[in-house]
């Protein structure tokens, strides 16, 4: 006797709906887990340093009456020079770090002609203070000594200078002749 197989669609639909609900529940827990992992892992954010760092020691080395070249040797090339204000140089230093306030320091140097008149600006940190502030984010380490002791300098005696020749009279500048800008006519 042949048996008629009768298949009901109802259990298949219930099974399909159950599998779909399980998949959706799994997605939501996966999403929550991935959010927790993503919140623990953060991208590296680079420190952004712009401008010239000027230390308190450099500012104290400035003396009224210095030439522009002497000021440039002490402070470096200014960040801002203006054609409209040729009598002043601006030194601006900015340090931007992740999750910290932006540090900005400014120093303005004023000239009369080619001679330093005065300087004004923010109070600058010493070199040691600045180096210590750079290392404050990571592990607390020891700030390196930035100056050599006399004992350390004694290890490196100065090189003997060659005898100097008597100075000759300064040479007169030769007359300067430039080549023509256009080819001669043919």
């Amino acid at each position: 006797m042949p048996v008629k197989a009768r298949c009901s669609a109802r259990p298949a639909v219930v099974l399909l709906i159950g599998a779909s609900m399980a998949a959706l529940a799994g997605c939501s827990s996966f999403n929550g887990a991935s959010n927790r992992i993503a919140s623990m892992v953060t991208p590296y954010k680079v420190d952004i340093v712009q401008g010239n760092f000027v230390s308190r020691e450099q500012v104290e080395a400035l003396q009224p009456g210095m030439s522009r070249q002497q000021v440039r040797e002490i402070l470096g090339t200014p960040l801002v020079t203006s054609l409209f204000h040729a009598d002043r140089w601006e030194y601006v230093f900015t340090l931007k770090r992740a999750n910290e306030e932006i540090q900005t320091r400014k120093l303005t140097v004023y000239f009369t002609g080619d001679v330093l008149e005065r300087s004004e600006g923010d109070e600058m940190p010493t070199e040691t203070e600045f180096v210590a502030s750079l290392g404050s984010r990571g592990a607390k380490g020891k700030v390196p000594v930035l100056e050599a002791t006399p004992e350390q300098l004694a290890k490196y005696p100065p090189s003997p200078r060659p005898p100097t020749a008597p100075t000759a009279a300064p040479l007169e500048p030769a007359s300067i002749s430039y080549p023509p800008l256009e080819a001669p006519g043919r």
Side-chain angles (χ1 to χ4, degrees):
M1 261 185 63
V3 178
K4 259 187 169 175
R6 189 168 172 235
C7 184
S8 173
R10 181 170 264 180
V13 170
V14 170
L15 185 64
L16 181 64
I17 291 174
S20 299
M21 302 262 311
L24 288 175
C27 287
S28 69
S29 67
F30 177 74
N31 191 20
S34 64
N35 284 341
R36 284 191 300 274
I37 291 172
S39 67
M40 291 185 329
V41 178
T42 57
Y44 176 73
K45 294 183 181 175
V46 177
D47 295 344
I48 300 172
V49 179
Q50 294 178 317
N52 307 34
F53 170 71
V54 177
S55 69
R56 185 178 306 151
E57 294 88 353
Q58 290 172 301
V59 174
E60 290 171 354
L62 295 177
Q63 300 295 323
M66 289 181 154
S67 69
R68 287 181 187 251
Q69 183 59 35
Q70 289 172 318
V71 172
R72 183 176 277 126
E73 287 173 3
I74 292 172
L75 300 179
T77 304
L79 184 66
V80 180
T81 57
S82 172
L83 293 174
F84 302 108
H85 302 286
D87 60 341
R88 75 176 186 218
W89 288 349
E90 305 280 339
Y91 290 87
V92 181
F93 175 76
T94 305
L95 175 61
K96 182 179 180 185
R97 296 174 133 179
N99 304 322
E100 290 184 21
E101 281 190 42
I102 297 175
Q103 297 178 27
T104 302
R105 295 184 181 91
K106 298 175 188 175
L107 176 72
T108 305
V109 180
Y110 295 92
F111 294 94
T112 301
D114 280 340
V115 177
L116 175 66
E117 179 184 324
R118 63 187 162 86
S119 65
E120 61 184 42
D122 300 332
E123 184 174 342
M124 302 296 172
T126 64
E127 290 179 4
T128 305
E129 292 170 347
F130 181 68
V131 170
S133 74
L134 290 178
S136 65
R137 278 182 31 171
K140 298 287 183 186
K142 186 177 176 185
V143 176
V145 177
L146 299 176
E147 294 180 5
T149 63
E151 293 81 23
Q152 291 171 328
L153 290 175
K155 292 180 186 176
Y156 305 99
S159 58
R161 293 187 180 192
T164 58
T167 57
L171 297 175
E172 300 265 334
S175 63
I176 299 173
S177 172
Y178 295 102
L181 295 176
E182 298 178 4
R186 294 182 189 185

